[in-house]
Amino acid sequence: MIPGELGRERLAEAADAALTVGADGVEVIAIHSIGGLTRFASSRIHQNTWREDMEFRVVAVVDGTKMGVASTHSLEPGAVRRAAEDAVAIARVTPGDPDFPGLAPAASFPEKKGFDEATATATPADRAEAVRHALSEVPGTMEGAGYVETVADEVLITSTTGVRAFGRTTRAGISVLAMTDDSSGYAERLERRLSDLDPTSLATRAVDKAERSRDPKPIEPGAYTVILEPAAVSTLMQFLGYLGLGAKAFLEERSFMSGRIGDALAAELITIVDDPIAEDSLGLAFDFEGVPAQRVVLIDHGMAKGVVWDRATAKKGGVSSTGHGLPPPNSYGPIPLNLRMEPGTSTVEEMVASTERGLLVTRFHYSNVVNEKETVLTGMTRDATFLISDGRIEHGVKNLRYTQNTLEALSNVEAVGDKTEISTELFFGGSRAPALKIRDFKFSSTTSH
């Protein structure tokens, strides 16, 4: 055990105090998180923070189908016990849920490697050293900004039904933004280990993008062949997961997958899975109901294959949970948090070389939903968008607003990148995506910058 960790026994000692509160059933979710964040702007470090949080979330069941949830941030067994008593009191005045599937039974969980001690114990000096390497690549004519973050999590799930799950995870992220007076370039990576990240190469990418996108030219909106880098693809994929790859939306027919299992929804080049148990994913070996997490094929060579399930939706759907339950209270139902688009065989350079006229997009931001069922999204390009002409990157262009049906875009994929990268704004997860070449991607308006 490393300094700052609490460990399985310490978490269990506090959690077990809730199990004898006198309810029909009790589940305790304990999440302990420690991590440091070093941020830089104007090519210098301006913030260095350390955060530690401990939460016990207690679910109590009374009268068979009534549930209450209460939480505490104290590690004291007495405080966890009081949270359990509060959960019981809440459950007693809560209407019963006829669809409540009961608490999960005991299960065994595969050991998942991926906890990196060096990342968990990274110091402010370690993060500052990474910043130093990144800023060494940023010339004096540009300003560098971004962050270096290292996080370690411990999660314990225990219940009166015999569930006893414990997992440890780490993750590290580096983001670099290089800025000139009229352009910017961006590069970001997220992995389980800080040592897997190369701040120098990330900064080099960001600087190169900022340099090549100086003096951006205006361009007319319309349909273009685009090459989306992994960060842009991740945005589309994460929205797709949120909108329709979970069983609740599927059962309520709000999902683009409802009634379409077996249909071709994307190009044959596209396979999307959710795989929390992959060694290089950021997920846990179990979900927050204490169910073993499974790899689920969602879109297989373009064909709709399935969605992810938790215990409540699985009961309604007459299937088994795939181990994708979120912490209670949860109105979203199960959501895939570890999406992965399988890589292809093309490099970004090959995609550019094969494009007569198109755009290379670094990433999107301010993306939002226009039509949930139709998977129509809108958002902006950001931090370097380039015009491609006759197989070459010509120059930077001013940012554009895209308004695009995501499934239509995935149906128009002509090439898939051979490398994947993780991006995330998710809870205990992240999406791993390659670059994509897509024809007829729609931009609805332009900007002046």
Side-chain angles (χ1 to χ4, degrees):
M1 200 163 71
I2 64 167
E5 268 196 305
L6 297 175
R8 182 198 304 258
E9 289 72 21
R10 182 82 186 278
L11 293 175
E13 177 187 355
D16 286 350
L19 299 184
T20 56
V21 73
D24 294 347
V26 176
E27 178 193 36
V28 183
I29 302 165
I31 303 175
H32 178 234
S33 180
I34 55 177
L37 174 66
T38 300
R39 301 176 68 189
F40 57 102
S42 301
S43 297
R44 66 187 65 182
I45 292 174
H46 69 94
Q47 187 180 53
N48 195 34
T49 65
W50 176 259
R51 178 183 62 84
E52 178 174 5
D53 189 27
M54 176 73 249
E55 181 181 14
F56 289 88
R57 201 171 295 192
V58 183
V59 181
V61 182
V62 302
D63 299 335
T65 62
K66 295 181 175 181
M67 286 190 301
V69 182
S71 63
T72 177
H73 290 267
S74 171
L75 186 59
E76 295 301 319
V80 181
R81 172 83 178 191
R82 286 192 292 278
E85 293 168 349
D86 289 343
V88 170
I90 293 168
R92 293 200 187 287
V93 296
T94 300
D97 178 2
D99 295 322
F100 176 57
L103 298 177
S108 58
F109 307 96
E111 181 181 356
K112 182 177 177 181
K113 299 178 181 177
F115 183 88
D116 181 57
E117 186 170 325
T119 300
T121 58
T123 65
D126 294 328
R127 291 187 293 277
E129 182 68 4
V131 173
R132 186 181 71 80
H133 283 293
L135 291 179
S136 68
E137 300 301 315
V138 180
T141 55
M142 296 184 188
E143 288 191 357
Y147 71 85
V148 178
E149 184 175 30
T150 52
V151 178
D153 296 309
E154 302 172 89
V155 179
L156 174 80
I157 315 286
T158 186
S159 75
T160 52
T161 56
V163 171
R164 205 72 161 181
F166 177 75
R168 306 157 75 207
T169 68
T170 55
R171 64 183 183 278
I174 297 179
S175 176
V176 182
L177 185 66
M179 294 175 286
T180 75
D181 290 340
D182 62 3
S183 67
S184 61
Y186 157 89
E188 184 177 50
R189 287 291 300 273
L190 188 75
E191 295 291 348
R192 280 195 171 278
R193 292 176 289 271
L194 180 60
S195 60
D196 288 343
L197 303 176
D198 183 348
T200 301
S201 67
L202 289 170
T204 299
R205 281 172 54 184
V207 168
D208 178 63
K209 284 178 175 291
E211 187 62 45
R212 289 193 294 158
S213 60
R214 284 182 186 271
D215 189 23
K217 307 292 191 297
I219 190 168
E220 292 296 316
Y224 288 84
T225 292
V226 294
I227 297 165
L228 304 183
E229 294 195 349
V233 176
S234 281
T235 295
L236 301 183
M237 197 163 59
Q238 289 178 20
F239 268 99
L240 208 60
Y242 168 73
L243 292 176
L245 295 176
K248 184 173 183 183
F250 178 76
L251 292 172
E252 294 174 351
E253 300 189 348
R254 293 182 287 108
S255 165
F256 57 88
M257 299 282 275
S258 300
R260 301 190 67 185
I261 297 298
D263 290 356
L265 300 183
E268 285 190 14
L269 294 170
I270 298 299
T271 293
I272 300 175
V273 305
D274 189 79
D275 194 357
I277 56 176
E279 288 296 333
D280 61 351
S281 81
L282 303 179
L284 297 164
F286 50 86
D287 70 2
F288 292 94
E289 295 180 312
V291 175
Q294 297 178 25
R295 179 181 188 270
V296 179
V297 179
L298 304 164
I299 295 177
D300 185 14
H301 293 91
M303 190 169 295
K305 196 72 173 179
V307 296
V308 298
W309 303 80
D310 60 9
R311 286 178 54 76
T313 55
K315 180 184 177 184
K316 288 183 181 179
V319 299
S320 299
S321 171
T322 56
H324 287 79
L326 299 181
N330 166 32
S331 60
Y332 296 103
I335 291 177
L337 298 179
N338 294 274
L339 289 167
R340 172 184 300 254
M341 185 178 289
E342 299 296 348
T345 59
S346 301
T347 66
V348 170
E349 291 75 18
E350 290 169 343
M351 294 183 196
V352 171
S354 65
T355 301
E356 182 176 350
R357 179 176 170 80
L359 296 171
L360 173 64
V361 177
T362 299
R363 67 164 167 165
F364 296 129
H365 82 140
Y366 285 150
S367 293
N368 216 326
V369 180
V370 176
N371 185 306
E372 179 176 343
K373 190 72 176 283
E374 299 296 325
T375 69
V376 177
L377 304 178
T378 189
M380 305 297 297
T381 64
R382 186 177 187 179
D383 299 326
T385 303
F386 299 95
L387 177 68
I388 301 169
S389 181
D390 295 328
R392 297 178 55 189
I393 293 177
E394 284 289 318
H395 54 73
V397 300
K398 294 184 176 180
N399 287 310
L400 302 99
R401 170 171 291 281
Y402 77 92
T403 302
Q404 175 65 53
N405 179 310
T406 306
L407 288 182
E408 179 187 73
L410 294 181
S411 296
N412 291 340
V413 168
E414 296 182 343
V416 180
D418 60 348
K419 295 182 175 62
T420 60
E421 297 179 4
I422 299 179
S423 297
T424 188
E425 293 182 1
L426 300 174
F427 171 78
F428 276 97
S431 59
R432 182 176 285 279
L436 294 178
K437 179 179 177 180
I438 303 172
R439 66 178 179 276
D440 295 331
F441 195 92
K442 297 177 180 61
F443 294 94
S444 51
S445 62
T446 59
T447 70
S448 59
H449 60 279

